[in-house]
Amino acid sequence: MTPKGPGKGKGRGQEASGGGGGMGGGRALGPGGQCICPQCGEKVTHERGVPCFDVKCPKCGTYMTRE
Ligand SMILES: [Zn+2]
């Protein structure tokens, strides 16, 4: 006598699809840049952490901009 047991469930393979794609974006403008004065064209070395538009031109006092 062979008891008819219920069929075993289909073994589901666990899908290991880990989306660990690292986004290498967000690259800030590295140091070593320069700020330029839109007024007189004076260039100063851009200080890290100090946005150019926060720096005044040493010559004419105009706020600089990123070159
Ligand atoms: Zn200037």
Side-chain angles (χ1 to χ4, degrees):
M1 277 206 183
T2 41
K4 283 185 180 176
K8 271 196 173 180
K10 300 152 194 168
R12 259 192 179 178
Q14 284 188 350
E15 293 178 36
S17 58
M23 293 176 87
R27 202 181 195 185
L29 290 166
Q34 282 191 311
C35 302
I36 186 167
C37 171
Q39 194 70 29
C40 69
E42 177 76 2
K43 289 182 185 177
V44 295
T45 308
H46 172 246
E47 269 189 67
R48 209 179 149 193
V50 184
C52 285
F53 47 81
D54 237 23
V55 181
K56 278 185 177 179
C57 171
K59 273 193 179 178
C60 66
T62 305
Y63 283 106
M64 320 280 290
T65 181
R66 169 64 87 157
E67 190 181 12

